[in-house]
Amino acid sequence: MKRVINEQVGDQIREMLVNEPDVEEKTMFSGHCFLVNGKLCVCVNQEDLLCRIGHDRVVEELENGNARQMLMNGRASKDFVYVALADITGGRQLAYWIDLCLQFNPQAKAAKKKK
């Protein structure tokens, strides 16, 4: 199954992360993901951003109606939200979400390496 992503948004994210010293790109979560310092930071597919912003910001953004909860196997993923690309109307709004992801990145836990 081919994954479809919004290439324009992917390119914008890449540009916003250009000054980060350790950025890796992978295909995961049905989209194109950007890892910063070995930790998942943000992903883009055709319709959404998946943002890792931490539990406190997740609660705040959900209360503000700016995002929707990420569910994995029927359970809420506490540090992640989806943001509809249709709701991001410009570079400033995209930068807002990328900044939130980068702010949380130092506290995020890295995934366990598979053997």
Side-chain angles (χ1 to χ4, degrees):
M1 178 168 108
K2 184 179 179 194
R3 296 191 166 121
V4 180
I5 72 162
N6 185 312
E7 296 287 347
Q8 180 182 2
V9 174
D11 289 343
Q12 289 175 307
I13 293 169
R14 194 172 290 111
E15 287 176 26
M16 290 177 183
L17 297 176
V18 73
N19 292 324
E20 294 298 319
D22 182 14
V23 177
E24 184 180 355
E25 298 183 31
K26 287 187 178 184
T27 300
M28 302 179 343
F29 297 111
S30 299
H32 191 78
C33 298
F34 296 84
L35 289 78
V36 175
N37 300 317
K39 299 175 272 188
L40 181 65
C41 188
V42 62
C43 300
V44 62
N45 62 30
Q46 190 61 36
E47 299 172 356
D48 297 301
L49 281 183
L50 173 62
C51 298
R52 188 176 193 183
I53 60 175
H55 177 71
D56 293 340
R57 286 312 293 250
V58 164
V59 171
E60 186 177 327
E61 296 298 338
L62 291 173
E63 286 175 358
N64 291 336
N66 296 330
R68 67 186 192 283
Q69 186 74 60
M70 177 192 181
L71 299 176
M72 191 164 228
N73 299 325
R75 294 178 53 191
S77 186
K78 69 176 185 156
D79 290 336
F80 294 87
V81 291
Y82 281 110
V83 181
L85 291 179
D87 294 339
I88 298 174
T89 57
R92 289 172 113 194
Q93 287 182 327
L94 180 59
Y96 171 81
W97 289 104
I98 301 305
D99 287 345
L100 288 181
C101 295
L102 290 172
Q103 287 171 27
F104 179 68
N105 187 262
Q107 292 87 31
K109 299 217 184 312
K112 293 178 182 171
K113 301 280 184 196
K114 293 182 180 180
K115 293 181 181 182

PDB file of all heavy atoms in Angstrom, residues 41-76:
ATOM      1  N   CYS A  41       9.128  13.420  16.363  1.00  0.00           N
ATOM      2  CA  CYS A  41       8.771  14.812  16.625  1.00  0.00           C
ATOM      3  C   CYS A  41       7.445  15.161  15.950  1.00  0.00           C
ATOM      4  O   CYS A  41       6.497  15.576  16.614  1.00  0.00           O
ATOM      5  CB  CYS A  41       9.899  15.710  16.131  1.00  0.00           C
ATOM      6  SG  CYS A  41       9.724  17.440  16.568  1.00  0.00           S
ATOM      7  N   VAL A  42       7.376  14.989  14.631  1.00  0.00           N
ATOM      8  CA  VAL A  42       6.184  15.353  13.872  1.00  0.00           C
ATOM      9  C   VAL A  42       6.102  14.482  12.628  1.00  0.00           C
ATOM     10  O   VAL A  42       7.125  14.081  12.074  1.00  0.00           O
ATOM     11  CB  VAL A  42       6.205  16.867  13.505  1.00  0.00           C
ATOM     12  CG1 VAL A  42       7.382  17.201  12.614  1.00  0.00           C
ATOM     13  CG2 VAL A  42       4.895  17.309  12.875  1.00  0.00           C
ATOM     14  N   CYS A  43       4.863  14.167  12.209  1.00  0.00           N
ATOM     15  CA  CYS A  43       4.631  13.389  10.990  1.00  0.00           C
ATOM     16  C   CYS A  43       3.595  14.121  10.139  1.00  0.00           C
ATOM     17  O   CYS A  43       2.735  14.827  10.673  1.00  0.00           O
ATOM     18  CB  CYS A  43       4.072  12.005  11.308  1.00  0.00           C
ATOM     19  SG  CYS A  43       5.131  10.990  12.323  1.00  0.00           S
ATOM     20  N   VAL A  44       3.665  13.894   8.848  1.00  0.00           N
ATOM     21  CA  VAL A  44       2.673  14.465   7.943  1.00  0.00           C
ATOM     22  C   VAL A  44       2.189  13.367   7.006  1.00  0.00           C
ATOM     23  O   VAL A  44       2.960  12.523   6.565  1.00  0.00           O
ATOM     24  CB  VAL A  44       3.242  15.670   7.149  1.00  0.00           C
ATOM     25  CG1 VAL A  44       4.414  15.264   6.263  1.00  0.00           C
ATOM     26  CG2 VAL A  44       2.152  16.362   6.342  1.00  0.00           C
ATOM     27  N   ASN A  45       0.867  13.371   6.753  1.00  0.00           N
ATOM     28  CA  ASN A  45       0.310  12.535   5.694  1.00  0.00           C
ATOM     29  C   ASN A  45      -0.484  13.460   4.786  1.00  0.00           C
ATOM     30  O   ASN A  45      -0.245  14.668   4.786  1.00  0.00           O
ATOM     31  CB  ASN A  45      -0.501  11.356   6.268  1.00  0.00           C
ATOM     32  CG  ASN A  45      -1.707  11.765   7.081  1.00  0.00           C
ATOM     33  OD1 ASN A  45      -2.322  12.810   6.844  1.00  0.00           O
ATOM     34  ND2 ASN A  45      -2.052  10.955   8.055  1.00  0.00           N
ATOM     35  N   GLN A  46      -1.422  12.952   4.039  1.00  0.00           N
ATOM     36  CA  GLN A  46      -2.144  13.796   3.100  1.00  0.00           C
ATOM     37  C   GLN A  46      -3.105  14.766   3.795  1.00  0.00           C
ATOM     38  O   GLN A  46      -3.348  15.854   3.295  1.00  0.00           O
ATOM     39  CB  GLN A  46      -2.916  12.933   2.090  1.00  0.00           C
ATOM     40  CG  GLN A  46      -3.493  13.719   0.928  1.00  0.00           C
ATOM     41  CD  GLN A  46      -2.441  14.426   0.081  1.00  0.00           C
ATOM     42  OE1 GLN A  46      -1.350  13.926  -0.133  1.00  0.00           O
ATOM     43  NE2 GLN A  46      -2.760  15.613  -0.387  1.00  0.00           N
ATOM     44  N   GLU A  47      -3.623  14.379   4.969  1.00  0.00           N
ATOM     45  CA  GLU A  47      -4.670  15.177   5.603  1.00  0.00           C
ATOM     46  C   GLU A  47      -4.298  15.787   6.950  1.00  0.00           C
ATOM     47  O   GLU A  47      -4.940  16.732   7.394  1.00  0.00           O
ATOM     48  CB  GLU A  47      -5.918  14.312   5.795  1.00  0.00           C
ATOM     49  CG  GLU A  47      -6.479  13.802   4.487  1.00  0.00           C
ATOM     50  CD  GLU A  47      -7.602  12.801   4.685  1.00  0.00           C
ATOM     51  OE1 GLU A  47      -7.893  12.441   5.839  1.00  0.00           O
ATOM     52  OE2 GLU A  47      -8.187  12.391   3.678  1.00  0.00           O
ATOM     53  N   ASP A  48      -3.284  15.223   7.620  1.00  0.00           N
ATOM     54  CA  ASP A  48      -3.021  15.614   9.003  1.00  0.00           C
ATOM     55  C   ASP A  48      -1.540  15.765   9.310  1.00  0.00           C
ATOM     56  O   ASP A  48      -0.694  15.187   8.646  1.00  0.00           O
ATOM     57  CB  ASP A  48      -3.536  14.537   9.978  1.00  0.00           C
ATOM     58  CG  ASP A  48      -5.025  14.334   9.923  1.00  0.00           C
ATOM     59  OD1 ASP A  48      -5.762  15.310  10.158  1.00  0.00           O
ATOM     60  OD2 ASP A  48      -5.457  13.195   9.645  1.00  0.00           O
ATOM     61  N   LEU A  49      -1.293  16.503  10.396  1.00  0.00           N
ATOM     62  CA  LEU A  49      -0.009  16.472  11.095  1.00  0.00           C
ATOM     63  C   LEU A  49      -0.221  15.622  12.338  1.00  0.00           C
ATOM     64  O   LEU A  49      -1.259  15.722  12.980  1.00  0.00           O
ATOM     65  CB  LEU A  49       0.393  17.860  11.583  1.00  0.00           C
ATOM     66  CG  LEU A  49       0.995  18.874  10.663  1.00  0.00           C
ATOM     67  CD1 LEU A  49       1.362  20.119  11.465  1.00  0.00           C
ATOM     68  CD2 LEU A  49       2.210  18.342   9.960  1.00  0.00           C
ATOM     69  N   LEU A  50       0.750  14.817  12.667  1.00  0.00           N
ATOM     70  CA  LEU A  50       0.772  14.125  13.942  1.00  0.00           C
ATOM     71  C   LEU A  50       1.859  14.820  14.742  1.00  0.00           C
ATOM     72  O   LEU A  50       3.028  14.794  14.363  1.00  0.00           O
ATOM     73  CB  LEU A  50       1.086  12.636  13.772  1.00  0.00           C
ATOM     74  CG  LEU A  50       1.292  11.849  15.063  1.00  0.00           C
ATOM     75  CD1 LEU A  50       0.031  11.868  15.918  1.00  0.00           C
ATOM     76  CD2 LEU A  50       1.711  10.419  14.743  1.00  0.00           C
ATOM     77  N   CYS A  51       1.466  15.473  15.833  1.00  0.00           N
ATOM     78  CA  CYS A  51       2.392  16.301  16.604  1.00  0.00           C
ATOM     79  C   CYS A  51       2.618  15.697  17.982  1.00  0.00           C
ATOM     80  O   CYS A  51       1.660  15.396  18.694  1.00  0.00           O
ATOM     81  CB  CYS A  51       1.829  17.709  16.767  1.00  0.00           C
ATOM     82  SG  CYS A  51       1.588  18.579  15.207  1.00  0.00           S
ATOM     83  N   ARG A  52       3.858  15.558  18.361  1.00  0.00           N
ATOM     84  CA  ARG A  52       4.225  15.077  19.696  1.00  0.00           C
ATOM     85  C   ARG A  52       4.542  16.298  20.549  1.00  0.00           C
ATOM     86  O   ARG A  52       5.621  16.878  20.456  1.00  0.00           O
ATOM     87  CB  ARG A  52       5.437  14.158  19.607  1.00  0.00           C
ATOM     88  CG  ARG A  52       5.763  13.477  20.921  1.00  0.00           C
ATOM     89  CD  ARG A  52       6.906  12.526  20.747  1.00  0.00           C
ATOM     90  NE  ARG A  52       7.038  11.640  21.893  1.00  0.00           N
ATOM     91  CZ  ARG A  52       7.997  10.742  22.013  1.00  0.00           C
ATOM     92  NH1 ARG A  52       8.916  10.604  21.062  1.00  0.00           N
ATOM     93  NH2 ARG A  52       8.045   9.972  23.075  1.00  0.00           N
ATOM     94  N   ILE A  53       3.565  16.683  21.374  1.00  0.00           N
ATOM     95  CA  ILE A  53       3.673  17.943  22.110  1.00  0.00           C
ATOM     96  C   ILE A  53       3.625  17.771  23.624  1.00  0.00           C
ATOM     97  O   ILE A  53       3.742  18.753  24.350  1.00  0.00           O
ATOM     98  CB  ILE A  53       2.587  18.936  21.650  1.00  0.00           C
ATOM     99  CG1 ILE A  53       1.181  18.381  21.869  1.00  0.00           C
ATOM    100  CG2 ILE A  53       2.815  19.318  20.190  1.00  0.00           C
ATOM    101  CD1 ILE A  53       0.067  19.367  21.546  1.00  0.00           C
ATOM    102  N   GLY A  54       3.460  16.558  24.120  1.00  0.00           N
ATOM    103  CA  GLY A  54       3.430  16.324  25.557  1.00  0.00           C
ATOM    104  C   GLY A  54       2.033  16.435  26.136  1.00  0.00           C
ATOM    105  O   GLY A  54       1.187  17.175  25.625  1.00  0.00           O
ATOM    106  N   HIS A  55       1.813  15.700  27.191  1.00  0.00           N
ATOM    107  CA  HIS A  55       0.477  15.568  27.776  1.00  0.00           C
ATOM    108  C   HIS A  55      -0.163  16.914  28.132  1.00  0.00           C
ATOM    109  O   HIS A  55      -1.333  17.153  27.821  1.00  0.00           O
ATOM    110  CB  HIS A  55       0.533  14.664  29.012  1.00  0.00           C
ATOM    111  CG  HIS A  55      -0.784  14.545  29.698  1.00  0.00           C
ATOM    112  ND1 HIS A  55      -1.845  13.848  29.149  1.00  0.00           N
ATOM    113  CD2 HIS A  55      -1.222  15.054  30.868  1.00  0.00           C
ATOM    114  CE1 HIS A  55      -2.875  13.929  29.963  1.00  0.00           C
ATOM    115  NE2 HIS A  55      -2.525  14.647  31.020  1.00  0.00           N
ATOM    116  N   ASP A  56       0.577  17.799  28.793  1.00  0.00           N
ATOM    117  CA  ASP A  56      -0.014  19.065  29.222  1.00  0.00           C
ATOM    118  C   ASP A  56      -0.501  19.894  28.041  1.00  0.00           C
ATOM    119  O   ASP A  56      -1.603  20.454  28.066  1.00  0.00           O
ATOM    120  CB  ASP A  56       0.981  19.884  30.051  1.00  0.00           C
ATOM    121  CG  ASP A  56       1.288  19.227  31.391  1.00  0.00           C
ATOM    122  OD1 ASP A  56       0.492  18.375  31.843  1.00  0.00           O
ATOM    123  OD2 ASP A  56       2.331  19.563  31.988  1.00  0.00           O
ATOM    124  N   ARG A  57       0.298  19.970  26.994  1.00  0.00           N
ATOM    125  CA  ARG A  57      -0.114  20.729  25.797  1.00  0.00           C
ATOM    126  C   ARG A  57      -1.220  20.013  25.045  1.00  0.00           C
ATOM    127  O   ARG A  57      -2.085  20.660  24.454  1.00  0.00           O
ATOM    128  CB  ARG A  57       1.074  20.980  24.864  1.00  0.00           C
ATOM    129  CG  ARG A  57       2.045  22.036  25.337  1.00  0.00           C
ATOM    130  CD  ARG A  57       1.388  23.345  25.798  1.00  0.00           C
ATOM    131  NE  ARG A  57       0.745  24.110  24.759  1.00  0.00           N
ATOM    132  CZ  ARG A  57       1.181  25.263  24.288  1.00  0.00           C
ATOM    133  NH1 ARG A  57       2.288  25.789  24.741  1.00  0.00           N
ATOM    134  NH2 ARG A  57       0.500  25.899  23.370  1.00  0.00           N
ATOM    135  N   VAL A  58      -1.211  18.676  25.074  1.00  0.00           N
ATOM    136  CA  VAL A  58      -2.301  17.917  24.442  1.00  0.00           C
ATOM    137  C   VAL A  58      -3.624  18.337  25.076  1.00  0.00           C
ATOM    138  O   VAL A  58      -4.594  18.663  24.377  1.00  0.00           O
ATOM    139  CB  VAL A  58      -2.081  16.391  24.572  1.00  0.00           C
ATOM    140  CG1 VAL A  58      -3.361  15.625  24.271  1.00  0.00           C
ATOM    141  CG2 VAL A  58      -0.964  15.930  23.647  1.00  0.00           C
ATOM    142  N   VAL A  59      -3.678  18.324  26.399  1.00  0.00           N
ATOM    143  CA  VAL A  59      -4.906  18.697  27.108  1.00  0.00           C
ATOM    144  C   VAL A  59      -5.331  20.109  26.723  1.00  0.00           C
ATOM    145  O   VAL A  59      -6.501  20.357  26.397  1.00  0.00           O
ATOM    146  CB  VAL A  59      -4.704  18.562  28.639  1.00  0.00           C
ATOM    147  CG1 VAL A  59      -5.881  19.160  29.398  1.00  0.00           C
ATOM    148  CG2 VAL A  59      -4.495  17.102  29.023  1.00  0.00           C
ATOM    149  N   GLU A  60      -4.389  21.030  26.717  1.00  0.00           N
ATOM    150  CA  GLU A  60      -4.682  22.426  26.385  1.00  0.00           C
ATOM    151  C   GLU A  60      -5.211  22.571  24.957  1.00  0.00           C
ATOM    152  O   GLU A  60      -6.219  23.247  24.718  1.00  0.00           O
ATOM    153  CB  GLU A  60      -3.414  23.253  26.577  1.00  0.00           C
ATOM    154  CG  GLU A  60      -3.605  24.733  26.398  1.00  0.00           C
ATOM    155  CD  GLU A  60      -2.325  25.507  26.667  1.00  0.00           C
ATOM    156  OE1 GLU A  60      -1.522  25.081  27.523  1.00  0.00           O
ATOM    157  OE2 GLU A  60      -2.140  26.538  26.000  1.00  0.00           O
ATOM    158  N   GLU A  61      -4.537  21.943  23.997  1.00  0.00           N
ATOM    159  CA  GLU A  61      -4.946  22.082  22.596  1.00  0.00           C
ATOM    160  C   GLU A  61      -6.284  21.389  22.328  1.00  0.00           C
ATOM    161  O   GLU A  61      -7.085  21.871  21.526  1.00  0.00           O
ATOM    162  CB  GLU A  61      -3.859  21.557  21.658  1.00  0.00           C
ATOM    163  CG  GLU A  61      -2.558  22.339  21.720  1.00  0.00           C
ATOM    164  CD  GLU A  61      -2.669  23.810  21.320  1.00  0.00           C
ATOM    165  OE1 GLU A  61      -3.616  24.190  20.598  1.00  0.00           O
ATOM    166  OE2 GLU A  61      -1.796  24.588  21.737  1.00  0.00           O
ATOM    167  N   LEU A  62      -6.533  20.261  23.004  1.00  0.00           N
ATOM    168  CA  LEU A  62      -7.831  19.600  22.861  1.00  0.00           C
ATOM    169  C   LEU A  62      -8.945  20.474  23.425  1.00  0.00           C
ATOM    170  O   LEU A  62     -10.011  20.600  22.816  1.00  0.00           O
ATOM    171  CB  LEU A  62      -7.822  18.229  23.540  1.00  0.00           C
ATOM    172  CG  LEU A  62      -6.953  17.162  22.891  1.00  0.00           C
ATOM    173  CD1 LEU A  62      -6.911  15.909  23.759  1.00  0.00           C
ATOM    174  CD2 LEU A  62      -7.421  16.827  21.487  1.00  0.00           C
ATOM    175  N   GLU A  63      -8.711  21.089  24.581  1.00  0.00           N
ATOM    176  CA  GLU A  63      -9.701  21.986  25.174  1.00  0.00           C
ATOM    177  C   GLU A  63      -9.978  23.179  24.278  1.00  0.00           C
ATOM    178  O   GLU A  63     -11.108  23.661  24.202  1.00  0.00           O
ATOM    179  CB  GLU A  63      -9.234  22.463  26.556  1.00  0.00           C
ATOM    180  CG  GLU A  63      -9.327  21.408  27.619  1.00  0.00           C
ATOM    181  CD  GLU A  63      -8.748  21.853  28.956  1.00  0.00           C
ATOM    182  OE1 GLU A  63      -8.217  22.987  29.062  1.00  0.00           O
ATOM    183  OE2 GLU A  63      -8.815  21.049  29.910  1.00  0.00           O
ATOM    184  N   ASN A  64      -8.961  23.673  23.584  1.00  0.00           N
ATOM    185  CA  ASN A  64      -9.122  24.806  22.674  1.00  0.00           C
ATOM    186  C   ASN A  64      -9.743  24.408  21.335  1.00  0.00           C
ATOM    187  O   ASN A  64     -10.036  25.271  20.511  1.00  0.00           O
ATOM    188  CB  ASN A  64      -7.776  25.486  22.419  1.00  0.00           C
ATOM    189  CG  ASN A  64      -7.242  26.193  23.643  1.00  0.00           C
ATOM    190  OD1 ASN A  64      -7.996  26.572  24.528  1.00  0.00           O
ATOM    191  ND2 ASN A  64      -5.934  26.364  23.702  1.00  0.00           N
ATOM    192  N   GLY A  65      -9.884  23.120  21.102  1.00  0.00           N
ATOM    193  CA  GLY A  65     -10.481  22.647  19.856  1.00  0.00           C
ATOM    194  C   GLY A  65      -9.548  22.733  18.666  1.00  0.00           C
ATOM    195  O   GLY A  65      -9.996  22.721  17.520  1.00  0.00           O
ATOM    196  N   ASN A  66      -8.241  22.812  18.916  1.00  0.00           N
ATOM    197  CA  ASN A  66      -7.269  22.969  17.839  1.00  0.00           C
ATOM    198  C   ASN A  66      -6.761  21.651  17.284  1.00  0.00           C
ATOM    199  O   ASN A  66      -6.005  21.645  16.312  1.00  0.00           O
ATOM    200  CB  ASN A  66      -6.066  23.779  18.329  1.00  0.00           C
ATOM    201  CG  ASN A  66      -6.457  25.188  18.708  1.00  0.00           C
ATOM    202  OD1 ASN A  66      -7.382  25.749  18.146  1.00  0.00           O
ATOM    203  ND2 ASN A  66      -5.763  25.755  19.666  1.00  0.00           N
ATOM    204  N   ALA A  67      -7.115  20.536  17.913  1.00  0.00           N
ATOM    205  CA  ALA A  67      -6.542  19.244  17.527  1.00  0.00           C
ATOM    206  C   ALA A  67      -7.496  18.134  17.958  1.00  0.00           C
ATOM    207  O   ALA A  67      -8.500  18.386  18.631  1.00  0.00           O
ATOM    208  CB  ALA A  67      -5.186  19.065  18.212  1.00  0.00           C
ATOM    209  N   ARG A  68      -7.155  16.908  17.558  1.00  0.00           N
ATOM    210  CA  ARG A  68      -7.911  15.748  18.034  1.00  0.00           C
ATOM    211  C   ARG A  68      -6.933  14.709  18.572  1.00  0.00           C
ATOM    212  O   ARG A  68      -5.782  14.635  18.135  1.00  0.00           O
ATOM    213  CB  ARG A  68      -8.826  15.185  16.958  1.00  0.00           C
ATOM    214  CG  ARG A  68      -8.162  14.573  15.778  1.00  0.00           C
ATOM    215  CD  ARG A  68      -9.194  14.170  14.700  1.00  0.00           C
ATOM    216  NE  ARG A  68      -8.599  13.341  13.694  1.00  0.00           N
ATOM    217  CZ  ARG A  68      -7.817  13.768  12.725  1.00  0.00           C
ATOM    218  NH1 ARG A  68      -7.529  15.046  12.619  1.00  0.00           N
ATOM    219  NH2 ARG A  68      -7.308  12.927  11.846  1.00  0.00           N
ATOM    220  N   GLN A  69      -7.408  13.939  19.518  1.00  0.00           N
ATOM    221  CA  GLN A  69      -6.584  12.956  20.215  1.00  0.00           C
ATOM    222  C   GLN A  69      -6.112  11.860  19.260  1.00  0.00           C
ATOM    223  O   GLN A  69      -6.864  11.395  18.423  1.00  0.00           O
ATOM    224  CB  GLN A  69      -7.397  12.306  21.333  1.00  0.00           C
ATOM    225  CG  GLN A  69      -6.616  11.382  22.207  1.00  0.00           C
ATOM    226  CD  GLN A  69      -5.694  12.110  23.168  1.00  0.00           C
ATOM    227  OE1 GLN A  69      -6.142  12.884  23.979  1.00  0.00           O
ATOM    228  NE2 GLN A  69      -4.415  11.854  23.067  1.00  0.00           N
ATOM    229  N   MET A  70      -4.879  11.457  19.392  1.00  0.00           N
ATOM    230  CA  MET A  70      -4.380  10.295  18.666  1.00  0.00           C
ATOM    231  C   MET A  70      -4.789   9.053  19.451  1.00  0.00           C
ATOM    232  O   MET A  70      -4.569   8.967  20.656  1.00  0.00           O
ATOM    233  CB  MET A  70      -2.857  10.318  18.544  1.00  0.00           C
ATOM    234  CG  MET A  70      -2.319   9.080  17.850  1.00  0.00           C
ATOM    235  SD  MET A  70      -0.519   8.966  18.020  1.00  0.00           S
ATOM    236  CE  MET A  70      -0.219   7.470  17.109  1.00  0.00           C
ATOM    237  N   LEU A  71      -5.407   8.116  18.764  1.00  0.00           N
ATOM    238  CA  LEU A  71      -5.774   6.842  19.367  1.00  0.00           C
ATOM    239  C   LEU A  71      -4.928   5.750  18.746  1.00  0.00           C
ATOM    240  O   LEU A  71      -4.753   5.705  17.530  1.00  0.00           O
ATOM    241  CB  LEU A  71      -7.254   6.535  19.145  1.00  0.00           C
ATOM    242  CG  LEU A  71      -8.242   7.530  19.734  1.00  0.00           C
ATOM    243  CD1 LEU A  71      -9.661   7.161  19.349  1.00  0.00           C
ATOM    244  CD2 LEU A  71      -8.101   7.604  21.246  1.00  0.00           C
ATOM    245  N   MET A  72      -4.400   4.895  19.592  1.00  0.00           N
ATOM    246  CA  MET A  72      -3.605   3.770  19.118  1.00  0.00           C
ATOM    247  C   MET A  72      -4.157   2.513  19.787  1.00  0.00           C
ATOM    248  O   MET A  72      -4.154   2.432  21.016  1.00  0.00           O
ATOM    249  CB  MET A  72      -2.130   3.985  19.464  1.00  0.00           C
ATOM    250  CG  MET A  72      -1.200   3.023  18.799  1.00  0.00           C
ATOM    251  SD  MET A  72       0.464   3.708  18.927  1.00  0.00           S
ATOM    252  CE  MET A  72       0.961   3.515  17.246  1.00  0.00           C
ATOM    253  N   ASN A  73      -4.654   1.596  18.978  1.00  0.00           N
ATOM    254  CA  ASN A  73      -5.291   0.380  19.489  1.00  0.00           C
ATOM    255  C   ASN A  73      -6.416   0.716  20.459  1.00  0.00           C
ATOM    256  O   ASN A  73      -6.590   0.063  21.481  1.00  0.00           O
ATOM    257  CB  ASN A  73      -4.262  -0.546  20.154  1.00  0.00           C
ATOM    258  CG  ASN A  73      -3.200  -1.005  19.176  1.00  0.00           C
ATOM    259  OD1 ASN A  73      -3.485  -1.225  18.004  1.00  0.00           O
ATOM    260  ND2 ASN A  73      -1.975  -1.134  19.647  1.00  0.00           N
ATOM    261  N   GLY A  74      -7.176   1.767  20.142  1.00  0.00           N
ATOM    262  CA  GLY A  74      -8.322   2.151  20.952  1.00  0.00           C
ATOM    263  C   GLY A  74      -7.995   2.947  22.206  1.00  0.00           C
ATOM    264  O   GLY A  74      -8.888   3.337  22.940  1.00  0.00           O
ATOM    265  N   ARG A  75      -6.718   3.217  22.442  1.00  0.00           N
ATOM    266  CA  ARG A  75      -6.314   3.968  23.639  1.00  0.00           C
ATOM    267  C   ARG A  75      -5.718   5.312  23.226  1.00  0.00           C
ATOM    268  O   ARG A  75      -5.002   5.407  22.234  1.00  0.00           O
ATOM    269  CB  ARG A  75      -5.283   3.177  24.436  1.00  0.00           C
ATOM    270  CG  ARG A  75      -5.864   1.890  25.015  1.00  0.00           C
ATOM    271  CD  ARG A  75      -4.866   1.074  25.766  1.00  0.00           C
ATOM    272  NE  ARG A  75      -4.186   1.871  26.781  1.00  0.00           N
ATOM    273  CZ  ARG A  75      -3.119   1.462  27.432  1.00  0.00           C
ATOM    274  NH1 ARG A  75      -2.598   0.284  27.189  1.00  0.00           N
ATOM    275  NH2 ARG A  75      -2.554   2.226  28.340  1.00  0.00           N
ATOM    276  N   ALA A  76      -6.009   6.322  24.037  1.00  0.00           N
ATOM    277  CA  ALA A  76      -5.469   7.654  23.768  1.00  0.00           C
ATOM    278  C   ALA A  76      -3.967   7.643  23.983  1.00  0.00           C
ATOM    279  O   ALA A  76      -3.465   7.104  24.962  1.00  0.00           O
ATOM    280  CB  ALA A  76      -6.121   8.675  24.685  1.00  0.00           C
TER     281      ALA A  76
END
